[in-house]
């Protein structure tokens, strides 16, 4: 048995019939590379079954403590059945992109059975009329509960069911998996009792680790290296209220080479900065077209992985986060990119000062019963409609493979992302890269975003105008060489050195 962290357990507590808390992906495959030029469903079952040992999440299920007195546990499921988790459907003719988007949204909207291992794969056949794809392609729509994986560990799970060639060679490592017995109630309650005795020490340790970071942050603010100007609640938008049970989904691919070229227009800018600026421009156009654009900048929460080298295959979530303004109040796309870059640098400095790992550890301090009760009450009373949001949307970047990957002998030709929405945050933008492509996918509440094609068009427009602006911009000046000797200090009116901004790492 392995107990969930406070962060992992929070996704279980947030789960309601209207807010299923799973993430996933939409991989599209060309079966012409498979043996015989086609893929049968029984081949898919065999292929996945031979690779289950590649990720622990495949055969582990939740066991909840009575009354949620403590965080749940993972056990090896004694009733595991692969055919429950791998499903098979087909699109009706003509099998176009819009039909696939609707089907992905329907699959994503359905909660998973929390009494089974928390993943589902659905093979969707019939993609015969999708622009840019050969007829006969199929999609693999995956769903994995956020309690089991974050974006980075999801990459490890995806790698378990993909090969680097079409040979379909089974893995060499032996599968030594064995099921566990279901724990009894008395055992769970006894574990809960001893964990509660250790809770005060956890609080002291976590606070002790955060004190040096708080002191560092205070010093950075006083010197002017870090600004607190943007640390305020986000403006209210149509995406920030109580969500319904229905979803929409779409994805917009771009050339990764174009994104890398665009970042060169702003010294120190990153691919993430460009994507955030594109999302900001897309939100600006979408809301402005509806007469709903706030005067203040919308903000995005960007997850930060805190996984160490030895934790890449670890179960669950090892993430912190930073909040970045998206520059939606700025009409000029190049100025928006500069604004987003500076804001991202500042947010990273704030997070690094305290320590991303320490911030993630704070989730352990909330008692399990209180966390579950608070999550349920927040949803039932519709509290999301009564307060300003902490952030407006989420933009999460999941790096993918640069080389071709194969599922059951079929070559992957595209990869997109899905992610959960919840009360106060009805739009999320997973960013997936694969090969020479980077795609902005989005999942949203259908009542908040009834016209997903309009938002997709807004993202394309934002990308196009930013690309044109960066191409027209003069080449940035080369950075001056550092002097061999430090210049004499020039006191300011306050008697201190002038503050300087730090560039991105």
């Amino acid at each position: 048995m392995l107990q969930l962290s406070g962060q992992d357990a929070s996704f279980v507590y947030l789960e309601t019939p209207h807010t299923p808390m799973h993430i996933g992906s939409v991989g599209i495959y060309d079966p012409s590379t498979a043996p015989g030029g086609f893929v049968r469903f029984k081949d898919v079952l065999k292929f996945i079954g031979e690779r289950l040992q590649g990720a622990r999440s495949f055969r582990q299920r939740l066991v909840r403590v009575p009354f949620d007195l403590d965080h749940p546990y993972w056990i090896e499921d004694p009733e595991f059945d692969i055919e429950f988790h791998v499903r098979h459907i087909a699109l009706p003719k003509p099998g176009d992109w819009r039909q696939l988007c609707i089907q992905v949204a329907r699959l994503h909207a359905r909660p998973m059975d929390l009494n089974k291992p928390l993943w589902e794969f659905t093979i969707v056949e019939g993609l015969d009329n999708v622009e840019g794809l050969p007829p006969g392609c199929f999609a693999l729509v995956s769903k994995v509960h956020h309690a089991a994986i974050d974006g980075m560990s999801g990459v490890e799970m995806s790698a378990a069911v993909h090969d680097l060639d079409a040979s379909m060679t089974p893995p060499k490592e032996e599968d030594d998996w064995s099921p566990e017995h279901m724990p009894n109630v008395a055992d769970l309650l006894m574990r809960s009792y001893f964990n509660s005795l250790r809770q005060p020490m956890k609080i002291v340790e976590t606070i002790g680790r955060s004190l040096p970071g708080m002191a560092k942050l205070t010093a950075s603010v006083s010197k002017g290296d870090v600004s607190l100007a943007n640390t305020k609640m986000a403006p209210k938008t149509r995406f920030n209220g109580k969500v319904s049970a229905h979803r929409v989904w779409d994805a917009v691919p771009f050339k990764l080479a174009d994104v890398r070229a665009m970042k060169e227009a702003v010294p120190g800018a990153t691919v993430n900065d460009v994507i955030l600026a594109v999302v900001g421009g897309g939100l600006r156009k979408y809301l402005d077209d509806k007469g709903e654009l706030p005067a203040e900048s919308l903000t995005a929460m960007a997850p930060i992985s805190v996984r160490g080298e030895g934790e890449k295959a670890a179960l669950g979530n090892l993430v912190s986060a930073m909040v970045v303004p998206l520059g939606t109040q700025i009409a000029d796309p190049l100025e928006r990119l500069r604004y987003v870059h500076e804001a991202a640098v500042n947010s990273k400095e704030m997070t690094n000062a305290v320590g991303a790992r320490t911030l993630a550890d704070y989730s352990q301090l909330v008692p399990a019963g209180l966390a579950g009760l608070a999550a349920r009450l927040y949803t039932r009373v519709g509290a999301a409609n009564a307060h300003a949001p902490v952030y407006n949307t989420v933009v999460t970047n999941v790096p993918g493979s640069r080389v071709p990957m194969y599922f059951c002998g079929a070559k992957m030709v595209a990869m997109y992302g899905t992610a959960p929405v919840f009360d106060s945050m009805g739009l999320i933008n997973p960013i997936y890269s694969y090969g020479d492509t980077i795609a902005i996918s989005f999942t949203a509440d259908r009542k908040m975003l009834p016209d997903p094609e309009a938002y997709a068009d807004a993202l394309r427009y934002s990308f196009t105008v930013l690309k044109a602006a960066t191409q027209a911009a003069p080449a940035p000046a080369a950075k001056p060489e550092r002097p061999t000797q430090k210049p004499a200090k020039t006191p300011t009116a306050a008697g201190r050195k002038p503050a300087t901004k730090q560039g991105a790492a």
Side-chain angles (χ1 to χ4, degrees), residues 15-322:
E15 176 98 6
T16 73
H18 284 194
T19 58
M21 299 305 294
H22 47 254
I23 62 177
S25 62
V26 181
I28 300 179
Y29 303 85
D30 179 5
S32 66
T33 62
F38 62 93
V39 176
R40 297 171 298 183
F41 184 62
K42 70 175 185 178
D43 297 329
V44 171
L45 287 173
K46 181 175 182 292
F47 182 84
I48 297 174
E50 292 174 340
R51 290 158 173 79
L52 293 175
Q53 70 271 27
R56 297 177 63 182
S57 301
F58 281 129
R59 291 177 290 202
Q60 289 193 324
R61 60 154 292 181
L62 277 177
V63 175
R64 296 182 75 161
V65 178
F67 310 109
D68 282 336
L69 292 175
D70 201 359
H71 298 319
Y73 291 84
W74 295 114
I75 69 162
E76 304 297 334
D77 185 14
E79 299 178 343
F80 176 75
D81 178 10
I82 189 173
E83 294 195 28
F84 176 85
H85 298 275
V86 185
R87 290 93 184 272
H88 183 205
I89 61 176
L91 295 179
K93 292 185 180 300
D96 58 24
W97 177 254
R98 183 51 49 197
Q99 288 175 303
L100 177 63
C101 290
I102 293 170
Q103 190 59 253
V104 171
R106 288 173 178 169
L107 291 170
H108 189 76
R110 298 171 189 164
M112 290 191 290
D113 186 345
L114 297 184
N115 295 313
K116 303 282 187 180
L118 297 180
W119 64 278
E120 294 175 6
F121 286 173
T122 302
I123 304 297
V124 183
E125 289 191 286
L127 278 66
D128 297 324
N129 194 33
V130 179
E131 183 179 353
L133 298 180
C137 285
F138 67 89
L140 171 60
V141 181
S142 72
K143 293 164 55 175
V144 186
H145 203 281
H146 218 327
I149 64 169
D150 57 25
M152 293 304 294
S153 57
V155 171
E156 295 292 321
M157 192 173 180
S158 176
V161 293
H162 286 91
D163 296 329
L164 297 178
D165 56 47
S167 66
M168 297 175 61
T169 305
K172 295 180 180 179
E173 58 267 24
E174 186 177 344
D175 186 1
D176 57 357
W177 178 81
S178 60
E180 294 181 84
H181 294 292
M182 293 288 290
N184 58 53
V185 172
D187 181 33
L188 292 173
L189 292 176
M190 184 63 68
R191 288 171 179 262
S192 172
Y193 172 74
F194 284 112
N195 283 342
S196 67
L197 295 179
R198 289 192 291 265
Q199 186 70 5
M201 288 303 299
K202 291 181 181 178
I203 295 175
V204 172
E205 289 174 4
T206 303
I207 293 176
R209 287 197 304 270
S210 68
L211 289 177
M214 292 296 183
K216 180 180 176 182
L217 176 60
T218 302
S220 298
V221 172
S222 65
K223 291 189 296 184
D225 294 335
V226 173
S227 171
L228 300 180
N230 291 317
T231 54
K232 55 185 177 181
M233 301 298 279
K236 191 88 168 178
T237 73
R238 61 167 52 218
F239 304 117
N240 306 119
K242 184 176 173 63
V243 299
S244 73
H246 310 293
R247 301 290 178 264
V248 292
W249 178 85
D250 206 336
V252 184
F254 302 108
K255 291 182 178 179
L256 185 56
D258 287 343
V259 175
R260 287 175 172 161
M262 291 156 68
K263 73 181 180 65
E264 299 302 321
V266 175
T270 65
V271 167
N272 282 347
D273 296 338
V274 174
I275 293 299
L276 287 168
V278 170
V279 171
L283 285 169
R284 173 185 170 85
K285 178 168 175 54
Y286 180 82
L287 293 175
D288 195 36
D289 287 347
K290 297 183 178 299
E292 301 175 5
L293 181 65
E296 296 178 309
S297 175
L298 273 65
T299 62
M301 189 271 277
I304 302 171
S305 175
V306 294
R307 289 179 179 271
E309 280 300 314
E311 299 172 315
K312 290 186 177 179
L315 199 68
N317 294 264
L318 290 170
V319 295
S320 183
M322 65 180 187

Side-chain angles (χ1 to χ4, degrees), residues 255 257-266 333-334 337-338 463-476:
K255 291 182 178 179
D258 287 343
V259 175
R260 287 175 172 161
M262 291 156 68
K263 73 181 180 65
E264 299 302 321
V266 175
L334 187 56
L337 176 57
R338 293 192 182 102
F463 183 89
T464 300
V465 296
L466 179 56
K467 180 180 177 181
T470 55
Q471 288 176 338

Side-chain angles (χ1 to χ4, degrees), residues 219-455:
S220 298
V221 172
S222 65
K223 291 189 296 184
D225 294 335
V226 173
S227 171
L228 300 180
N230 291 317
T231 54
K232 55 185 177 181
M233 301 298 279
K236 191 88 168 178
T237 73
R238 61 167 52 218
F239 304 117
N240 306 119
K242 184 176 173 63
V243 299
S244 73
H246 310 293
R247 301 290 178 264
V248 292
W249 178 85
D250 206 336
V252 184
F254 302 108
K255 291 182 178 179
L256 185 56
D258 287 343
V259 175
R260 287 175 172 161
M262 291 156 68
K263 73 181 180 65
E264 299 302 321
V266 175
T270 65
V271 167
N272 282 347
D273 296 338
V274 174
I275 293 299
L276 287 168
V278 170
V279 171
L283 285 169
R284 173 185 170 85
K285 178 168 175 54
Y286 180 82
L287 293 175
D288 195 36
D289 287 347
K290 297 183 178 299
E292 301 175 5
L293 181 65
E296 296 178 309
S297 175
L298 273 65
T299 62
M301 189 271 277
I304 302 171
S305 175
V306 294
R307 289 179 179 271
E309 280 300 314
E311 299 172 315
K312 290 186 177 179
L315 199 68
N317 294 264
L318 290 170
V319 295
S320 183
M322 65 180 187
V323 177
V324 183
L326 294 172
T328 53
Q329 80 283 17
I330 301 172
D332 183 86
L334 187 56
E335 286 302 315
R336 186 184 310 116
L337 176 57
R338 293 192 182 102
Y339 175 88
V340 167
H341 167 60
E342 293 178 2
V345 168
N346 187 73
S347 295
K348 288 174 186 174
E349 291 292 336
M350 292 179 63
T351 301
N352 291 339
V354 179
R357 190 74 183 236
T358 301
L359 290 173
D361 288 344
Y362 267 93
S363 62
Q364 302 280 28
L365 304 185
V366 182
L370 180 60
L373 178 62
R376 290 189 291 271
L377 283 176
Y378 183 82
T379 296
R380 289 176 183 175
V381 303
N385 295 327
H387 67 82
V390 178
Y391 48 84
N392 298 108
T393 186
V394 172
V395 180
T396 175
N397 194 346
V398 180
S401 174
R402 300 274 74 82
V403 299
M405 299 184 70
Y406 295 81
F407 172 78
C408 213
K411 182 180 180 180
M412 180 191 290
V413 294
M415 173 64 85
Y416 308 110
T418 63
V421 299
F422 45 86
D423 290 343
S424 83
M425 200 285 296
L427 170 67
I428 186 168
N429 302 267
I431 315 301
Y432 270 61
S433 57
Y434 171 67
D436 60 357
T437 300
I438 186 167
I440 302 177
S441 311
F442 60 88
T443 307
D445 175 73
R446 194 169 74 195
K447 290 187 176 180
M448 297 176 178
L449 189 71
D451 48 355
E453 64 282 355
Y455 181 54

